Amino acid sequence: MAEPKSKYDRQLRIWGEQGQGALEKASICLLNCGPTGSETLKNLVLGGVGSITVIDGSKVEVGDLGNNFMVDESSVGQSKAKCVCAFLQELNDAVKAKFIEEHPEALIETNPSFFSQFTLVVATQLVEDSMVKLDRICREANVMLVFARSYGLTGLVRISVKEHVVIESKPDHFLDNLRLNNPWPELKSFAETIDLNVQDPVSHKHTPYVIILVKMAEEWAKAHGGNLPSSRDEKKQFKELLKARMISAEEDNYKEASEASFKVFAPRGINPDLQKIISDSCTDVDSNSSDFWVMVAALKEFIVNEGGGEVPLEGSIPDMTSSTELYVNLQKIYLAKAEADFLVIEKRVRNILKKMGRDSDSISKSTIKSFCKNARKLKVCRYRFIEDEFNNPSLPQLQKYFTDEDYSVAIGFYILLRAADRFATNYNSFPGQFDGQMDEYISRLKTTAVSLLNDLGCNGSPLTEDLINEMCRFGASELHVVAAFIGGVASQEVIKLITRQFVPISGSFIFNGIDQKSQLLVL
């Protein structure tokens, strides 16, 4: 077996040792190991999860050989859970794997406490009634739950958990926090030591753009009643002033300053998303509060007091044209400010813990440091009960999706997946599942879908005949290509939840294999 660091090298670069450690401690339960479940678990086994438990009470049939790579001809007639588990174990012998030959629906009904032993449950190919029951069980046990389903050329992934907090959300694009329009005393003092009008061309073209913008922003504010550029014309004038300071057209530092001037115009203070978090009722912490909300409570105090309306500084600066001496000194100033802010937050965290009667050292220094570094990017995700969504979806949102051309097929599949489950309850089979009168299947599914929409308060049928026909043509089949895609999405969301890095999807993810589109429905 390869050493973990070389074995998981690529993923360690994405979520680091802390994220990998969380994966290796995780215990995953899979319900139903058809193609969708097998593909989901395959990705997690390769990623190095700690242990897996496969639950499936069916036997391998000849038809399974055409859509599930985790079984072969010798598997026919044997326990599907046992065969899939053995194949998955071969992919990574560091993962502990076991199986239980039982139908998930029966386990949900007869032994709900069984699920409390897991970190996360991946439930695949469950019908609506079982989804609702399992959701309730996992919520009570505080176990994370991910639903995944493929059905012909469509599929669904839905997360269900009371609350999921993310410190390392790692957004693709985020404005760096240089405080160009709100410098602290040390940065101001450093900027004052540098003369932008220096005649030496070498010194002039090696002044960091951060210093150029801090000084020019201050100069502008003095001339405009303390205000920074806000209108389009003012921003244009500010850039013209930067251009006027250039000695030659070859000064890259002034070009960088012009390109980064939008950072001066950015609003001060905290962003609306963070404002929502620090205004959350959970910031009124008590002995049952999670570490995250204790740190948010400390952050809230910091912003009001020492931060002067700002979050702790992150301390990093981008690469820029500069002399080595100036860049290193600038870097030290940012790092010193970040460290000072961290120490204040740490002290506040320790004090809050002490007041709550908890061990003041129960939150590690590294966790608080990571929290400070990512304070502007915190995310809190909360998910509705599946039952609430199914019975009381947002009617305006539902109608909006139906009238929006981009979303009409996605919402159509979402409703038809639910209608197919209701159809199966009424007729003991899915529409088109067996050879027979297709016209009768189509008529019955349409009636079932209209009834479902009426129950939701959405009168009339905005569903197209073509979509209903396609749903019957699918016959509840699991196509491997769709199952592999849905399994990939589901495993990605599982990794986000376990590592607590990146932001998980917030609603029902619908894959439309007809048009090759993926969309998120929040109802």
Side-chain angles (χ1 to χ4, degrees), residues 478-512:
E478 275 189 89
L479 305 178
H480 181 263
V481 65
V482 176
F485 182 82
I486 294 297
V489 173
S491 58
Q492 175 178 277
E493 297 310 309
V494 168
I495 288 170
K496 288 179 187 177
L497 291 169
I498 291 172
T499 62
R500 294 192 177 275
Q501 296 183 28
F502 302 96
V503 183
I505 54 176
S506 56
S508 294
F509 171 91
I510 303 291
F511 174 61
N512 165 10

Side-chain angles (χ1 to χ4, degrees), residues 29-31 104-105 107-109 111-112 114-116 121-124 126-141 143-147 160 385-386:
C29 175
L30 172 70
L31 304 186
E105 293 82 1
L107 200 59
I108 291 167
E109 288 287 348
N111 191 9
F114 170 81
F115 299 99
S116 62
V121 174
V122 179
T124 68
L126 288 187
V127 295
E128 187 171 310
D129 185 51
S130 295
M131 289 173 72
V132 168
K133 289 173 182 174
L134 181 62
D135 183 34
R136 206 178 295 127
I137 291 165
C138 288
R139 293 275 182 133
E140 287 174 7
V143 173
M144 296 182 283
L145 176 61
V146 176
F147 292 107
S160 188
F385 273 99
I386 287 283

Side-chain angles (χ1 to χ4, degrees), residues 135-384:
D135 183 34
R136 206 178 295 127
I137 291 165
C138 288
R139 293 275 182 133
E140 287 174 7
N142 206 26
V143 173
M144 296 182 283
L145 176 61
V146 176
F147 292 107
R149 187 175 188 180
S150 60
Y151 194 106
L153 290 174
T154 187
L156 172 146
V157 175
R158 165 69 149 81
I159 293 168
S160 188
V161 61
K162 285 179 190 174
E163 178 183 273
H164 180 72
V165 297
V166 187
I167 293 174
E168 295 184 61
S169 62
K170 299 183 177 178
D172 289 335
H173 305 287
F174 211 82
L175 193 64
D176 46 21
N177 190 14
L178 298 175
R179 303 268 180 91
L180 302 178
N181 56 12
N182 190 16
W184 62 98
E186 290 80 4
L187 181 58
K188 266 186 176 180
S189 299
F190 181 64
E192 285 167 6
T193 65
I194 297 168
D195 183 9
L196 295 187
N197 298 316
V198 64
Q199 294 304 305
D200 177 22
V202 175
S203 298
H204 196 269
K205 71 178 183 180
H206 285 93
T207 302
Y209 82 74
V210 165
I211 299 302
I212 295 171
L213 289 175
V214 166
K215 291 181 76 72
M216 292 296 288
E218 187 178 16
E219 190 177 303
W220 175 281
K222 281 180 181 175
H224 294 81
N227 298 315
L228 290 168
S230 56
S231 68
R232 188 175 177 181
D233 284 342
E234 285 179 338
K235 290 172 184 178
K236 190 177 177 182
Q237 288 173 34
F238 185 81
K239 284 190 175 185
E240 290 297 325
L241 282 176
L242 288 170
K243 195 175 179 181
R245 291 295 182 103
M246 294 174 70
I247 294 175
S248 73
E250 304 302 317
E251 293 186 311
D252 290 337
N253 57 337
Y254 276 85
K255 290 177 186 175
E256 290 169 357
S258 182
E259 288 168 3
S261 60
F262 69 92
K263 296 175 184 178
V264 172
F265 317 141
R268 294 180 182 180
I270 60 178
N271 62 59
D273 287 344
L274 182 57
Q275 182 61 58
K276 194 174 175 182
I277 291 172
I278 65 169
S279 301
D280 196 288
S281 59
C282 289
T283 55
D284 297 327
V285 292
D286 56 34
S287 56
N288 297 317
S289 296
S290 68
D291 290 354
F292 175 84
W293 287 110
V294 169
M295 291 188 287
V296 171
L299 174 65
K300 187 176 183 178
E301 292 177 3
F302 174 89
I303 291 169
V304 172
N305 297 290
E306 299 84 1
E310 298 274 9
V311 296
L313 195 73
E314 287 152 34
S316 58
I317 59 173
D319 191 18
M320 64 191 80
T321 302
S322 169
S323 67
T324 303
E325 184 184 0
L326 285 178
Y327 185 83
V328 169
N329 288 338
L330 191 62
Q331 198 172 46
K332 284 178 180 176
I333 289 167
Y334 274 86
L335 287 171
K337 172 63 174 167
E339 181 65 17
D341 287 351
F342 155 70
L343 292 172
V344 173
I345 291 275
E346 184 188 23
K347 187 177 180 181
R348 288 194 172 277
V349 168
R350 307 286 180 222
N351 287 339
I352 291 170
L353 288 169
K354 195 174 179 181
K355 284 178 188 174
M356 290 163 52
R358 283 169 58 181
D359 179 3
S360 61
D361 293 320
S362 60
I363 302 178
S364 70
K365 188 170 276 201
S366 61
T367 300
I368 301 171
K369 188 155 269 190
S370 176
F371 180 87
C372 290
K373 190 176 179 182
N374 294 284
R376 293 185 305 140
K377 308 163 195 171
L378 303 176
K379 292 290 178 184
V380 176
C381 307
R382 294 185 176 117
Y383 300 85
R384 294 183 74 186

Side-chain angles (χ1 to χ4, degrees), residues 1 37 71 96 119 211 264 291 328 400 414 500:
M1 187 179 73
V71 295
K96 294 174 185 174
T119 309
I211 299 302
V264 172
D291 290 354
V328 169
K400 181 183 173 186
Y414 175 85
R500 294 192 177 275

